[in-house]
Amino acid sequence: MLHSLVFVLVNGLVYGLLLFLLSSGLTLIFSMMGVLNFAQASFYMLGAYLGYQIMAWTDYWVALFVAPVAVGLLGAAVERYVLSKTHHRGQVAELLLTFGLSYLIVEGVKLVWGVNAVNYGMPPSLNFPIFAINGVSYPAYNVFMMVVSVAIFALLYVLLTKTRIGIIIQAALSDRDMVGMLGHNIPRIFALVFGIGCALAGVAGVVGGNILVTEPSMALSLGPIIFVVVVIGGMGSFGGALVASLLIGLLQNYMTTLNVSLAGLVGVSLGSHAPFRELLNQPLSQLAAIMPYFLMILILAFRPKGLMGKVES
Amino acid sequence: MLEVTDLHAYYGKSHVLQGVNLTVGDNQVVRLLGRNGVGRSTTTKAIMGMVRVAGSVRFKGREISGLPPYEIARCGIGIVPESRNIFPTLTVYENLLIGMKSKNQKGRWSVDATFDLFPNLKERARTAAGVLSGGEQQMLSICRTLMGDPDLVMVDEPTEGLAPQLVEQVGVLLEKIAAQGVAILLVEQKLQIALRISHQVLVMGHGRIVFSGTPKDLLAQESVRREWLEV
């Protein structure tokens, strides 16, 4: 019992931090540029495929560095040469553009790497159990994922609060026109921010792609959930994105271990003709996948600015 | 230094600037007066590249109309907007840092020199700028623009909403700026401050300049004051 609780907790944290890597990029881009980057999960997928490919050519550690940089550069180029042309036309144009881009990336990946999952394995140097409870061992790689996520955030925090460019980015979050009038090149800062946001997704792809299967549908399977995270946490709030990511990660992982049904929870047994019998007899683990969406709807209905957001979404 | 010729600007269908002509010479202090809504702020925004314009804006001999605001700023024009636009979540010190166009910029102004001018700001260097009083925010906004070392600074309604002794402080600061050889285009609604230091007064009405002369000329022209300034 103890080992399953610890594992659920650690797995929830690992998954939550992965969600945060993705949603913080989305949050960074949204809060500064007002762009809802629909292609965020596609950049995540691209990170996983590039990670796989570079690892095949060289090794994992090179991939961990090069793939996110490549994804970030692609993101910056997209902003600089394409997306920036739509900013003056408002959010619908931007959203449609990133929507189209997400499909282009998915189809491009299928053309290059095929429609089936690729064999993206763990680096041998991290493929060992790191601890065991009651004879059940826990993989070191999962702990490594956590370390990478936390390290990236520490890095991002230092970049945004302690460096000159970070302070300029923060200023541009609140008033980009003024930052421009003070002599800072806003289009270049936008490209940088979009690139960093995409690179964060790229990191998530490289570290998450090998334990969550690298395949063309991976963008679609994670895409909606990061928007859920951002809505629950509050649009444009990094703290909110962190809380919501961990909440969803822990909740989903915990629920998948629950075999008890709603009816069982309250201790009633239902006759074969009872209304909602199917629903009430479902084990709660079956409801884990829809839980985040249920939460999102509750948040939108009763607290539209999210847990920690400043603007109504 | 600055020559604006036949400048037109539109907000949607409304023709806000209808052929503005003005010049600001080296080290000159020029005041732009006029009632609310005649286009004074729009003129400064148009010079700064924030509004799409037709016509010519030349600065130090170079045509700058049509350039993006950051390039115009880099040519040596600074603006202190009426709404102050400080960055509320950043500290006073960080606000000043952002005013510098590059990390190692050396110019007429430094953070230390700014703090000498305003010991208040020095005391609150690590405070979020959003909690400063209106007067302190105004000083911060002016100093932030100075950190970029502009050769011409456009100051829009700096005394709006300030207590009388602060208005006097703004006046003193503007004199100090002018003493450093910086040209000033000062937008003011009232004839309140800086009469001592202004070389030229422009009066704006209905999107164009309707009077241009020295402060003395304006005092002598009662009809201009009555028609275009007094409420």
Side-chain angles (χ1 to χ4, degrees):
Chain A
M1 189 61 202
L2 172 74
H3 72 265
S4 64
L5 251 182
V6 172
F7 285 0
V8 163
L9 189 73
V10 184
N11 278 333
L13 284 178
V14 168
Y15 183 59
L17 285 168
L18 186 77
L19 286 181
F20 186 41
L21 269 178
L22 279 161
S23 55
S24 64
L26 194 69
T27 296
L28 182 71
I29 291 170
F30 176 77
S31 51
M32 175 158 171
M33 305 169 56
V35 175
L36 267 175
N37 180 19
F38 217 87
Q40 189 75 4
S42 300
F43 283 106
Y44 151 76
M45 181 187 68
L46 198 60
Y49 272 94
L50 286 177
Y52 154 75
Q53 190 63 65
I54 295 169
M55 185 178 167
W57 284 336
T58 57
D59 78 359
Y60 180 78
W61 303 101
V62 177
L64 183 60
F65 178 74
V66 175
V69 170
V71 173
L73 286 176
L74 178 71
V78 165
E79 157 59 25
R80 186 77 189 83
Y81 298 108
V82 188
L83 193 57
S84 59
K85 312 269 190 269
T86 66
H87 291 328
H88 66 280
R89 288 165 53 194
Q91 283 194 333
V92 173
E94 294 163 342
L95 193 72
L96 288 174
L97 196 148
T98 58
F99 187 69
L101 183 68
S102 68
Y103 272 89
L104 270 183
I105 294 175
V106 171
E107 293 305 314
V109 159
K110 281 185 194 165
L111 287 174
V112 176
W113 285 285
V115 293
N116 296 320
V118 294
N119 181 23
Y120 181 15
M122 281 178 207
S125 51
L126 288 172
N127 201 355
F128 62 90
I130 196 162
F131 64 85
I133 300 171
N134 294 343
V136 186
S137 59
Y138 194 78
Y141 189 80
N142 291 25
V143 176
F144 168 74
M145 270 177 73
M146 253 195 289
V147 172
V148 170
S149 308
V150 172
I152 291 283
F153 294 116
L155 206 72
L156 199 64
Y157 177 79
V158 171
L159 175 83
L160 277 177
T161 59
K162 306 286 178 218
T163 67
R164 182 177 151 80
I165 184 70
I167 292 169
I168 294 172
I169 289 174
Q170 278 194 64
L173 290 177
S174 67
D175 190 341
R176 65 185 188 218
D177 283 347
M178 191 64 228
V179 173
M181 288 191 285
L182 289 168
H184 302 291
N185 187 338
I186 289 290
R188 210 167 69 189
I189 296 172
F190 271 21
L192 179 73
V193 166
F194 202 83
I196 292 175
C198 293
L200 285 171
V203 175
V206 178
V207 298
N210 44 14
I211 54 172
L212 297 167
V213 192
T214 297
E215 57 181 351
S217 66
M218 67 192 287
L220 208 62
S221 65
L222 218 56
I225 202 103
I226 58 174
F227 278 91
V228 171
V229 165
V230 171
V231 170
I232 292 179
M235 289 281 189
S237 161
F238 288 97
L242 176 65
V243 170
S245 300
L246 294 178
L247 183 75
I248 289 179
L250 289 169
L251 192 71
Q252 265 197 326
N253 268 281
Y254 180 64
M255 279 186 73
T256 49
T257 65
L258 296 178
N259 275 323
V260 62
S261 65
L262 279 174
L265 208 59
V266 288
V268 291
S269 66
L270 298 165
S272 56
H273 296 295
F276 301 113
R277 183 173 176 276
E278 272 303 310
L279 171 70
L280 296 174
N281 276 337
Q282 284 287 341
L284 286 178
S285 58
Q286 293 292 315
L287 303 176
I290 61 166
M291 205 58 207
Y293 300 97
F294 183 60
L295 264 180
M296 177 176 79
I297 288 169
L298 286 182
I299 288 274
L300 282 173
F302 298 108
R303 195 180 158 83
K305 65 180 180 175
L307 294 176
M308 296 165 78
K310 296 182 190 93
V311 269
E312 307 261 310
S313 52
Chain B
M1 179 173 280
L2 178 76
E3 285 169 72
V4 174
T5 317
D6 198 26
L7 195 67
H8 294 259
Y10 300 82
Y11 285 144
K13 277 183 182 165
S14 105
H15 193 177
V16 189
L17 301 186
Q18 307 182 5
V20 172
N21 295 295
L22 67 88
T23 56
V24 179
D26 290 1
N27 307 345
Q28 258 200 343
V29 178
V30 175
R31 299 177 60 213
L32 187 56
L33 299 173
R35 293 198 185 105
N36 266 341
V38 293
R40 295 162 306 147
S41 292
T42 306
T43 303
T44 60
K45 283 183 194 151
I47 293 170
M48 205 64 217
M50 296 300 293
V51 180
R52 280 179 73 135
V53 292
S56 160
V57 181
R58 295 182 76 79
F59 185 66
K60 294 182 195 164
R62 180 183 169 193
E63 181 63 47
I64 57 166
S65 68
L67 292 181
Y70 76 87
E71 280 190 38
I72 292 174
R74 283 171 179 264
C75 290
I77 301 184
I79 187 167
V80 181
E82 183 184 358
S83 42
R84 293 161 196 161
N85 298 43
I86 53 137
F87 306 117
T89 57
L90 299 180
T91 65
V92 167
Y93 180 72
E94 288 168 338
N95 267 272
L96 291 173
L97 277 192
I98 291 173
M100 293 162 71
K101 294 184 183 106
S102 64
K103 201 173 179 179
N104 302 310
Q105 182 180 323
K106 294 223 166 28
R108 279 164 278 214
W109 314 91
S110 66
V111 174
D112 288 339
T114 306
F115 284 161
D116 287 343
L117 283 176
F118 298 105
N120 268 8
L121 291 184
K122 185 177 188 174
E123 275 166 34
R124 316 195 76 172
R126 306 279 158 204
T127 311
V131 304
L132 297 183
S133 71
E136 287 168 331
Q137 290 190 2
Q138 185 63 62
M139 299 306 175
L140 178 60
S141 181
I142 295 174
C143 292
R144 182 182 59 184
T145 298
L146 292 179
M147 296 300 296
D149 198 25
D151 298 312
L152 164 71
V153 48
M154 300 186 288
V155 191
D156 195 355
E157 301 265 13
T159 61
E160 183 78 8
L162 295 190
Q165 72 266 33
L166 285 168
V167 172
E168 182 59 31
Q169 264 198 44
V170 171
V172 171
L173 174 60
L174 291 175
E175 281 177 15
K176 284 182 176 157
I177 297 170
Q180 292 280 339
V182 178
I184 301 176
L185 179 62
L186 177 62
V187 174
E188 270 288 308
Q189 191 175 3
K190 303 167 212 112
L191 291 150
Q192 241 170 348
I193 58 161
L195 258 183
R196 302 185 286 265
I197 56 163
S198 55
H199 302 102
Q200 200 193 0
V201 180
L202 307 171
V203 177
M204 206 166 173
H206 301 321
R208 57 171 73 95
I209 305 291
V210 293
F211 168 87
S212 167
T214 63
K216 229 185 219 171
D217 295 339
L218 182 61
L219 285 175
Q221 296 252 0
E222 212 204 315
S223 61
V224 171
R225 280 183 287 141
R226 213 175 27 226
E227 187 173 358
W228 300 107
L229 294 174
E230 282 154 20
V231 184

